[in-house]
Structure formats: structure tokens, C-alpha cells
Amino acid sequence: MDRNRQIDTFCRYTQVSRETILSLEKYEEILIKSNKKLNLIGKSTIEEIWIRHFLDSAQVFDFINKNEHLVFDLGSGAGFPGLVLSILSLDKKIHLKVKLLEKSPKKSKFLKEVIHLLKLNAEVICQNIEEKDFKFEEGVFIARAFKPLAEILELIHSKAKNFKKIIIFLGKTGDKELLRASKNWDIKYKQRMSITSNDSLIIEINKLIKK
């Protein structure tokens, strides 16, 4: 799919303003430029940024309620989905603070540059969340291409006293990961098929209790 058709598809799903498309184009430009040194996204996806990354990230925006004002993007990397959600929150005039958790100083610097360029209500936390003393605030947790499901659940359970919900992107092995996780966890969740990949799904966890 060529770039213009990708943008048309993105607009059809998200119904965003022209100003928001311009912001995403600026993000796209700095992402492609920085990718040469930082390896932020796979080279095979550079020609499909609007679908593989922007739309894939945007599809979870409606998982977040208007009364949920703090989102944590775990292992943010290139800023997906956190930066896209921050851009969309401006478009929809929703007060949403996004905290991007990224342990790489170089990738964190990239994220800060995008936030500054686009004047986003977002913050970068350059820290390894697996460190013993790290603790989360209460909020919505989102993980895309971060860690296996079991590790994500253990991290949040051990480092967050409370959470609003946990949103996790799962790939081809998602069903198997859920089945394995259910042996150790009592999980109350909803699931939705990804709009960008037929063999991927997104889960929204509302209750998590260790067995």
C-alpha cells in the first residue's frame, strides 16, 4: 500500500484533523531520520509506518476512558503506542498525560525530541523498570512489543499497588500465552482482534490476581 493510501486508511479509522496528520508527518520524518542510527523500527516496516505503527498504536485509544488521565507506555522504544496516543489526545481535546518508560538513553533522547517538537503532554522516564526499587503510580498500563505476557503481568503485579487497566498487544502466540498465564493468574479481560493484523489481538485486563 502506498503512503497516500496508508494515510487515507489512517484517517478513515481515526477521524483526525489535518493538523494532527501534519504532526504525525513530522513524527514520521524524525523517526525515519533517527532510525538509521538508533534502529527504532524494523527496516521492513519503514514503508508502512502509517499502518504498521501509527494505526496499530491508534487502535487502542478508545480503550482509554475520559476519566483515565495517566497512561504508562512500557518499553516505549520509538514511542509506540505512547506518542501516538498523546497526539490523538490533543486532537480529541482529552486531558491525558503519557509517561514513556524507556531504559535506553539514546531512545529516550529521541522520545524527548518528538515531545518537544510536537508540544505533547508526555514525559520520558529513562529507567529500567525491572530495577528492585522501581514502583509505578496508579494508571493505565500499555505494552506493545515489550516482553512476554507472563513477564509483563509479574512486573505490574510486583511494582504497582493499583492499576486502572492493562492493555497488551499480543502476536501470533497470544492465545497460547493467555492459556499459560491463566495457570498462574486469575485474569479478567476483554479481547479484540487487531485491525492491522489478522493473527494479532489486543487484551484489556481489568482484574489480575495471582493464584
Side-chain angles (χ1 to χ4, degrees), residues 74-117:
L74 308 181
S76 190
F80 304 127
L83 287 181
V84 175
L85 297 178
S86 187
I87 292 167
L88 289 181
S89 70
L90 287 179
D91 181 90
K92 307 299 181 184
K93 295 179 173 57
I94 293 172
H95 175 66
L96 183 69
K97 178 67 175 282
V98 179
K99 294 195 176 186
L100 309 165
L101 295 141
E102 174 54 53
K103 67 180 181 181
S104 164
K106 290 182 179 179
K107 290 180 181 178
S108 293
K109 183 182 177 184
F110 162 79
L111 294 170
K112 289 175 182 177
E113 287 175 0
V114 179
I115 290 168
H116 178 73
L117 177 69

Side-chain angles (χ1 to χ4, degrees), residues 25 55 126 142 190:
E25 286 179 331
L55 182 58
C126 183
I142 302 183
K190 305 172 191 174

Side-chain angles (χ1 to χ4, degrees), residues 41-143:
I41 58 173
K43 290 181 181 179
S44 63
T45 69
I46 287 175
E47 301 298 323
E48 300 175 312
I49 286 174
W50 285 85
I51 302 298
R52 292 283 294 276
H53 298 297
F54 288 172
L55 182 58
D56 192 54
S57 297
Q59 67 179 315
V60 299
F61 186 75
D62 62 356
F63 279 65
I64 302 166
N65 299 328
K66 289 182 179 180
N67 63 341
E68 293 167 343
H69 301 302
L70 181 59
V71 168
F72 295 93
D73 180 7
L74 308 181
S76 190
F80 304 127
L83 287 181
V84 175
L85 297 178
S86 187
I87 292 167
L88 289 181
S89 70
L90 287 179
D91 181 90
K92 307 299 181 184
K93 295 179 173 57
I94 293 172
H95 175 66
L96 183 69
K97 178 67 175 282
V98 179
K99 294 195 176 186
L100 309 165
L101 295 141
E102 174 54 53
K103 67 180 181 181
S104 164
K106 290 182 179 179
K107 290 180 181 178
S108 293
K109 183 182 177 184
F110 162 79
L111 294 170
K112 289 175 182 177
E113 287 175 0
V114 179
I115 290 168
H116 178 73
L117 177 69
L118 301 181
K119 298 178 173 59
L120 301 176
N121 184 19
E123 175 187 343
V124 181
I125 299 173
C126 183
Q127 191 172 350
N128 185 348
I129 63 175
E130 295 182 76
E131 290 176 358
K132 185 179 179 181
D133 295 334
F134 185 88
K135 296 294 180 185
F136 288 115
E137 301 168 65
E138 183 177 355
V140 175
F141 296 90
I142 302 183

Side-chain angles (χ1 to χ4, degrees), residues 19 40 51 60 163 168 191 196:
E19 184 181 355
L40 295 161
I51 302 298
V60 299
F163 63 85
I168 303 175
Q191 74 176 55
T196 62

Side-chain angles (χ1 to χ4, degrees), residues 3-30:
R3 183 174 176 275
N4 287 334
R5 285 182 62 197
Q6 287 184 57
I7 295 174
D8 286 344
T9 300
F10 181 90
C11 290
R12 191 167 68 251
Y13 275 104
T14 60
Q15 299 292 304
V16 295
S17 66
R18 179 60 191 157
E19 184 181 355
T20 296
I21 294 299
L22 290 173
S23 291
L24 286 163
E25 286 179 331
K26 291 176 184 176
Y27 182 10
E28 176 190 31
E29 183 180 359
I30 191 172

